[in-house]
Amino acid sequence: MKEEIFRLAAILYADNNYEVSSKTLHRKVIESIFIDNHNDFLGLHSLIDKLNRQYNLDFTEEEIRDVVSDADYFNTSNCKTDEIKITLTQKRFEAVKSKIVTNNLEYFIEEFHKSNGQFDLKDIKTIIYRFLYEIFQTNISSFSKLVDPTVHIKDLLGNNDHNLNPLEIDIINTFLNWDNDEKNKMIFDVSNLALEYCLITNKKGTSFKLENLKNKVFYLDTNVIFRAIGINGENRKNRTLTFLEKFKDAKESLYISKYTIDEIKKTLDFYIGQMAKYNTAKINSEVFLNFRKSQDFIDYYHTWRRKRVNDSTELFSAHILSLIEDLKKKFDIKEDYKEHYDIKDPKIEELILDMGSQINSFKSEKRPSNLEASILDAKNIQVIKFLRNGHYANIFDCKYYLISADQLLRKWDYSQNNSIPMVLLPSQWMSILLRYLNRTNDDFKSFVSFLNISNGEKGISNENLQLILNGISEITTDFTQQSSIVSQMINIGFKGILDKANTEEEIIEKSRLFAKSQLEIQIEELMKSKTRLENKFEKYQENTSHAIEELQQIKDVEKEQKIAEIAKNTKVRNELINTKAKLDLAKYKSKAFYCIPILIICLIFIVLLFTWQDEGWNMVSVYTKYANSLPEGSMQKEYCKWLWLLPTSFLIGSAIIIFNRLLDREKIENKFAEFKNKWEKEINQ
């Protein structure tokens, strides 16, 4: 029946219509049959049989005829057998079909699997289908009791009464916490279908209307108050505040009884007393937050404390009370100090004690319970009983309720009560309110968050972690050492430390001894390490001495080699400089050699000028005679005079150059030194 129920929810709320009307509900349930059979014609009795077989719902012929008479939704035709044939109009069939393509459970599970591939798809489907179906069945029981208090409920599933192992709980909680708005709405629809189902099967024509649900009075349990101020984490705080906003929007009255006020103060005193008792100031809050497994009162304290200079428990207590006062102002939560019954009356006192004992025994079967807290629960329930004063025929007639997140208290109430339940979970009333008030994605997310399952096997409790850190802090306050010691305890599963028979003092003492033994082991290891290092150092020193001697010998050899190399390099360098300087000097002298032929020619010219005057081969004599024959004062004769000076000038110039570059030793040595300096600079660069 699981898959049929989930498909019915998708069809029922495909158009976001949460109106509670018996005829509308009947029509939508009938529509789902035709969506499943691809809109084939069905006879009247075949349709009734399918409704019974598929949803375990009994419809009469009159109810079917009344619904299918609406021509906007159904086509009908008469047959020879006098049984009408029914189908949806094509327009209605297409409209509904188009709206449920991607808002069914299977679609969301497949999408979830894509982003959480570590889980097997088949396992995810099986687990989530089973869980949501059990939620659906549980809600049927709950709503049935609200509508008709005479309904007897043998069993009511509570938080983690689903026989789920830790892995299955992890899969369900991961799916519930998966951030997908459409998925949240789908889960709300599946859970909410229980109310529709209850109304269909009730057969009393009950119809929910917001006007009939207003002006109720709700007393808030301590756990709701603590959640709303963030004691159980920021996520639960936000979801609880969203829930309280809906109460405010619906103009419901919210109260805290004198017993809840008393419980808040006692809880605060208890935890602060525990923390003060075991010297919380020595505990490193960062270490605690690194190893905490849940978000509760102690976790909240360390989160508040870790970045504060003044972390006194008195200041923390004032901080909590201030948050509660702000909460009461924001949501107009009134304090009820009125004595509704005489608690000193022996009969009343006996009744309260008996009821508290029953609650404590009932809770103790599932988890450790406190008799004093159970008695406070009994006092609150007695307040609701007194205020009802016999007016609890149904949800509309009954005005007073206790809102609590305690699943076991709710389950006890359902199992004992023959009237309208006195204890409601936040999700139950929110489920009804969201039908009539504006619905946002955060409302659906808030609703889904209340379905999370507590995993009791997550490891060390915060209370025990506090005790363990107290013992460790007596040995060391070092953050790294504390973290290392807790990690070692986790590795051995806290064996011998968290035995059930151990008292708080024994847990602290055993933690202290364990920390001491771990530090002694660390010290012993350090001493061994130190000895090993000393031995290694001595050997290293011995080896180093030999190595230093060998190294010194090598250095001496290398030094001699380096000196020789330097000397060799210096000699080569000097030879190179001298060679390059000599080449430059040779180039310098070569210009003088070019002047020698010029000097010889000039000397020959002068010799011929004064000798062999009558010889015809003496061109100088011929030229002289020609020049003397020219008229005095002529330009030609003047040019000839100047030409005679050229050989003399060349002779003198050549003689000077030859002397300076070939014969003047001092000048030649200076020039050589100049060339050497030039090459020394270039080579050094």
Side-chain angles (χ1 to χ4, degrees):
M1 189 177 171
K2 294 185 184 70
E3 294 186 22
E4 286 80 3
I5 287 296
F6 299 141
R7 280 201 299 272
L8 176 59
I11 294 169
L12 215 60
Y13 306 110
D15 53 4
N16 293 320
N17 184 1
Y18 293 90
E19 178 188 354
V20 182
S21 161
S22 57
K23 186 172 181 179
T24 302
L25 292 178
H26 290 171
R27 173 174 58 78
K28 288 186 175 183
V29 173
I30 293 169
E31 282 178 344
S32 72
I33 296 295
F34 290 102
I35 295 297
D36 288 343
N37 79 343
H38 307 290
N39 207 25
D40 289 341
F41 275 97
L42 280 174
L44 178 63
H45 293 95
S46 297
L47 178 57
I48 291 173
D49 291 341
K50 265 189 168 292
L51 288 166
N52 182 268
R53 185 168 58 253
Q54 201 155 311
Y55 303 127
N56 199 25
L57 294 173
D58 293 321
F59 280 73
T60 65
E61 289 186 34
E62 289 74 19
E63 287 173 331
I64 298 292
R65 289 181 186 275
D66 183 43
V67 171
V68 303
S69 63
D70 192 334
D72 290 336
Y73 297 97
F74 295 95
N75 291 323
T76 59
S77 62
N78 293 319
C79 297
K80 294 178 181 178
T81 59
D82 293 327
E83 181 184 43
I84 62 171
K85 293 288 186 179
I86 307 163
T87 185
L88 284 175
T89 64
Q90 190 61 29
K91 181 180 179 181
R92 182 59 182 167
F93 175 75
E94 295 296 339
V96 177
K97 186 178 178 182
S98 65
K99 291 178 181 177
I100 64 170
V101 173
T102 58
N103 68 342
N104 57 74
L105 180 58
E106 186 163 349
Y107 168 79
F108 288 114
I109 291 176
E110 289 175 355
E111 289 298 302
F112 169 72
H113 177 255
K114 290 177 184 177
S115 57
N116 295 271
Q118 71 268 30
F119 303 128
D120 180 73
L121 179 60
K122 187 177 179 182
D123 291 340
I124 292 174
K125 282 186 178 180
T126 302
I127 294 164
I128 293 176
Y129 268 68
R130 175 159 59 97
F131 169 73
L132 290 180
Y133 186 69
E134 288 176 354
I135 290 292
F136 167 75
Q137 294 283 29
T138 301
N139 285 348
I140 286 178
S141 299
S142 301
F143 290 130
S144 296
K145 192 77 171 171
L146 286 171
V147 173
D148 183 2
T150 62
V151 173
H152 181 65
I153 300 174
K154 292 182 180 179
D155 186 35
L156 183 72
L157 291 173
N159 197 19
N160 199 17
D161 276 358
H162 313 274
N163 296 318
L164 298 168
N165 60 44
L167 177 61
E168 291 172 330
I169 293 173
D170 187 37
I171 290 174
I172 290 168
N173 285 343
T174 305
F175 179 69
L176 294 175
N177 295 325
W178 173 40
D179 194 10
N180 184 296
D181 294 334
E182 284 73 23
K183 177 268 302 180
N184 290 335
K185 179 186 176 301
M186 181 275 301
I187 292 177
F188 172 76
D189 290 343
V190 169
S191 302
N192 219 33
L193 178 63
L195 181 55
E196 317 286 17
Y197 196 90
C198 170
L199 295 175
I200 293 171
T201 56
N202 187 257
K203 300 297 183 184
K204 291 186 178 182
T206 305
S207 170
F208 281 74
K209 292 181 181 178
L210 182 59
E211 290 71 23
N212 297 329
L213 297 171
K214 284 183 177 179
N215 302 317
K216 304 291 184 187
V217 177
F218 294 93
Y219 281 76
L220 301 179
D221 200 0
T222 302
N223 48 55
V224 176
I225 299 296
F226 280 161
R227 282 191 181 192
I229 63 172
I231 295 295
N232 296 110
E234 199 64 25
N235 184 53
R236 282 188 171 180
K237 173 185 174 181
N238 293 334
R239 304 285 71 82
T240 304
L241 292 179
T242 301
F243 159 71
L244 292 175
E245 285 286 356
K246 289 301 162 188
F247 275 76
K248 189 176 179 181
D249 293 345
K251 297 180 173 57
E252 310 286 16
S253 299
L254 297 176
Y255 282 87
I256 305 177
S257 74
K258 61 178 294 184
Y259 307 112
T260 298
I261 295 168
D262 187 37
E263 185 175 20
I264 289 172
K265 291 178 180 177
K266 285 184 176 179
T267 303
L268 196 56
D269 290 342
F270 170 77
Y271 281 109
I272 288 177
Q274 286 290 98
M275 290 184 287
K277 177 182 176 183
Y278 296 116
N279 198 2
T280 310
K282 293 169 61 179
I283 296 174
N284 190 313
S285 289
E286 293 293 344
V287 177
F288 180 92
L289 294 172
N290 278 352
F291 292 97
R292 55 104 186 268
K293 293 297 181 182
S294 61
Q295 294 176 311
D296 58 11
F297 205 98
I298 299 175
D299 167 76
Y300 187 83
Y301 169 74
H302 283 287
T303 302
W304 172 85
R305 170 185 181 248
R306 63 177 172 176
K307 293 182 180 179
R308 291 182 176 271
V309 176
N310 186 352
D311 59 355
S312 71
T313 51
E314 291 82 4
L315 184 62
F316 176 67
S317 177
H319 171 70
I320 294 293
L321 294 174
S322 173
L323 290 178
I324 293 174
E325 286 302 314
D326 292 341
L327 182 74
K328 289 191 291 187
K329 289 177 184 177
K330 181 176 181 180
F331 295 103
D332 193 24
I333 302 171
K334 301 177 182 64
E335 294 181 345
D336 181 10
Y337 285 99
K338 188 176 179 181
E339 291 280 1
H340 295 286
Y341 50 85
D342 185 5
I343 193 67
K344 295 180 181 179
D345 185 326
K347 291 183 179 179
I348 297 293
E349 186 178 9
E350 185 179 353
L351 177 67
I352 296 293
L353 289 173
D354 182 57
M355 192 189 309
S357 178
Q358 289 181 37
I359 294 171
N360 189 59
S361 298
F362 187 87
K363 288 184 177 182
S364 298
E365 293 177 5
K366 298 292 182 180
R367 64 168 187 247
S369 183
N370 179 280
L371 179 59
E372 186 177 2
S374 297
I375 289 173
L376 285 170
D377 288 335
K379 289 178 179 179
N380 274 326
I381 289 174
Q382 189 62 27
V383 168
I384 302 300
K385 276 185 180 180
F386 178 85
L387 291 171
R388 285 183 173 183
N389 194 26
H391 297 287
Y392 42 76
N394 54 47
I395 191 173
F396 308 111
D397 180 56
C398 188
K399 186 176 181 180
Y400 299 93
Y401 300 89
L402 174 67
I403 295 290
S404 175
D406 189 338
Q407 292 269 6
L408 291 176
L409 180 61
R410 188 276 298 249
K411 189 174 180 183
W412 174 85
D413 175 46
Y414 272 73
S415 66
Q416 299 295 314
N417 229 333
N418 292 322
S419 65
I420 289 290
M422 286 177 281
V423 181
L424 293 182
L425 297 176
S427 60
Q428 285 180 280
W429 200 256
M430 191 174 187
S431 178
I432 297 171
L433 289 181
L434 287 181
R435 295 167 165 273
Y436 307 102
L437 302 172
N438 291 330
R439 292 170 293 275
T440 67
N441 289 331
D442 199 52
D443 291 325
F444 293 131
K445 187 175 183 180
S446 178
F447 173 83
V448 170
S449 75
F450 289 114
L451 302 181
N452 271 268
I453 305 174
S454 174
N455 191 341
E457 297 188 22
K458 286 208 168 182
I460 180 175
S461 69
N462 286 346
E463 289 84 355
N464 286 336
L465 178 59
Q466 177 93 351
L467 296 173
I468 286 170
L469 287 177
N470 186 275
I472 294 173
S473 64
E474 291 183 15
I475 301 300
T476 175
T477 57
D478 181 75
F479 173 86
T480 305
Q481 288 182 335
Q482 285 188 357
S483 296
S484 174
I485 291 167
V486 176
S487 297
Q488 289 295 324
M489 288 182 175
I490 292 172
N491 290 338
I492 64 169
F494 300 98
K495 187 176 180 181
I497 299 170
L498 293 181
D499 293 344
K500 289 183 178 180
N502 288 347
T503 64
E504 292 180 346
E505 288 74 14
E506 286 173 336
I507 291 174
I508 292 173
E509 179 61 19
K510 290 188 176 184
S511 299
R512 189 185 71 80
L513 293 174
F514 183 87
K516 183 180 178 183
S517 67
Q518 288 298 308
L519 290 180
E520 287 173 349
I521 290 170
Q522 289 180 18
I523 291 170
E524 187 178 342
E525 287 296 322
L526 286 173
M527 292 300 294
K528 288 180 180 178
S529 177
K530 180 186 174 185
T531 304
R532 287 196 298 269
L533 286 173
E534 287 175 347
N535 292 336
K536 284 183 179 179
F537 182 71
E538 290 176 0
K539 189 174 181 181
Y540 170 77
Q541 277 187 317
E542 184 180 346
N543 293 337
T544 302
S545 298
H546 293 304
I548 289 172
E549 291 176 5
E550 292 177 1
L551 183 62
Q552 189 60 46
Q553 292 174 1
I554 292 170
K555 282 184 177 180
D556 292 341
V557 172
E558 286 181 348
K559 188 175 180 181
E560 291 174 3
Q561 290 176 345
K562 192 171 183 180
I563 292 170
E565 188 70 25
I566 290 170
K568 183 179 178 182
N569 289 341
T570 302
K571 183 179 179 183
V572 171
R573 177 173 165 277
N574 291 337
E575 287 178 357
L576 178 63
I577 291 170
N578 286 331
T579 302
K580 286 187 175 289
K582 285 177 182 179
L583 287 173
D584 284 349
L585 185 63
K587 289 179 183 179
Y588 174 75
K589 287 182 176 181
S590 66
K591 292 181 180 180
F593 289 122
Y594 295 140
C595 292
I596 292 173
I598 296 173
L599 179 66
I600 293 170
I601 292 170
C602 290
L603 288 171
I604 292 171
F605 179 84
I606 292 170
V607 170
L608 291 176
L609 182 64
F610 296 104
T611 59
W612 295 294
Q613 293 289 319
D614 296 326
E615 297 296 331
W617 50 266
N618 189 347
M619 297 303 298
V620 176
S621 178
V622 173
Y623 176 74
T624 303
K625 289 177 181 180
Y626 170 73
N628 290 332
S629 66
L630 292 172
E632 194 68 36
S634 65
M635 186 178 66
Q636 290 88 347
K637 192 163 186 171
E638 291 297 323
Y639 273 121
C640 289
K641 287 179 181 179
W642 286 105
L643 286 173
W644 288 115
L645 295 174
L646 287 175
T648 305
S649 299
F650 284 136
L651 177 67
I652 294 169
S654 299
I656 291 170
I657 291 171
I658 291 169
F659 178 79
N660 288 337
R661 299 196 178 202
L662 295 178
L663 303 176
D664 192 337
R665 188 176 296 278
E666 185 179 350
K667 279 190 177 181
I668 291 170
E669 288 177 354
N670 290 339
K671 204 65 181 177
F672 182 72
E674 182 183 329
F675 289 141
K676 282 182 69 176
N677 288 335
K678 182 190 78 169
W679 284 110
E680 280 180 357
K681 289 179 181 179
E682 288 191 14
I683 290 172
N684 288 337
Q685 288 176 351

